[in-house]
Amino acid sequence: MIEKFKTLFFVKSSLISLYLALTIPIPFISIDRIQIPSIIAFLLGFYLIINITNDYVETCNNKISYKTSFISKTLGRKSWEISWKDIKLIKSLPTSQGSKIYYFNTTKGDNLLLPQRLENFEKFLFIVSEKTGINIDEISYISPLWTYKLLTLLSVIMIISEFVAYII
């Protein structure tokens, strides 16, 4: 059975709302002769940020796959696929912010980043544990979910403030 795990909603919303908060004013404050190009650039950037936040993971009985969009591939993020039997272990490395990232270590010597920003993450980890026999008790989100929620809230407040400032 194929299971699909999309990028966590709060991660997507925080990135998209931050993009909007930082770029919405540009078309309004640009001089007349570059207003149309700035609107086009704004819309292109909006399309790009939505596109690159649509990466996802698929699992099935035989393998796990990380799927990226064409634009993500163009920007350097690669899709990958591992057979469950090729996963030797999951190793962790500390981040500079004090959390941990995890890698699938394969029998071929590859180290592929275990996605930690997925919706239904507990179910994803259960499938990984079930298919590989590896203990996943330590693995959690890379950042607490409140950080994404706070970033989204602050970005929305910025957007509202920008509109209020523009109207007044």
Side-chain angles (χ1 to χ4, degrees):
M1 181 174 154
I2 295 177
E3 297 273 350
K4 186 174 180 178
F5 299 91
K6 297 178 181 181
T7 302
L8 192 65
F9 171 77
F10 291 112
V11 172
K12 291 168 90 166
S13 69
S14 66
L15 294 172
I16 292 168
S17 62
L18 181 61
Y19 172 80
L20 292 173
L22 296 174
T23 59
I24 280 177
I26 295 171
F28 296 104
I29 62 173
S30 62
I31 57 177
D32 288 339
R33 67 173 199 230
I34 63 168
Q35 200 163 28
I36 298 297
S38 68
I39 291 170
I40 292 169
F42 167 77
L43 293 173
L44 177 64
F46 187 60
Y47 171 76
L48 291 174
I49 197 76
I50 287 174
N51 192 284
I52 64 174
T53 58
N54 282 328
D55 296 350
Y56 62 94
V57 173
E58 272 186 0
T59 62
C60 68
N61 290 333
N62 302 323
K63 63 186 175 185
I64 178 173
S65 305
Y66 181 76
K67 309 275 185 167
T68 60
S69 65
F70 172 76
I71 292 172
S72 289
K73 288 177 191 169
T74 305
L75 296 174
R77 188 179 264 173
K78 296 179 180 164
S79 296
W80 51 259
E81 187 173 281
I82 315 170
S83 173
W84 291 117
K85 62 180 174 43
D86 290 339
I87 298 174
K88 186 169 56 172
L89 60 98
I90 297 174
K91 65 180 181 180
S92 68
L93 292 172
T95 67
S96 59
Q97 291 83 26
S99 59
K100 289 183 179 180
I101 55 172
Y102 296 89
Y103 289 91
F104 291 115
N105 183 264
T106 68
T107 55
K108 298 174 186 171
D110 295 327
N111 291 304
L112 300 167
L113 189 63
L114 184 145
Q116 289 176 263
R117 295 180 178 118
L118 300 174
E119 288 188 351
N120 214 350
F121 190 59
E122 293 77 21
K123 184 175 183 180
F124 169 72
L125 289 177
F126 176 77
I127 292 170
V128 169
S129 177
E130 183 180 65
K131 299 293 183 183
T132 64
I134 297 171
N135 183 0
I136 47 89
D137 291 340
E138 274 188 34
I139 301 173
S140 64
Y141 290 111
I142 191 166
S143 304
L145 295 182
W146 67 264
T147 59
Y148 299 110
K149 293 175 183 179
L150 179 62
L151 181 57
T152 301
L153 175 66
L154 293 173
S155 297
V156 168
I157 290 170
M158 283 176 61
I159 293 167
I160 293 168
S161 300
E162 288 163 355
F163 278 118
V164 168
Y166 183 74
I167 292 171
I168 295 176

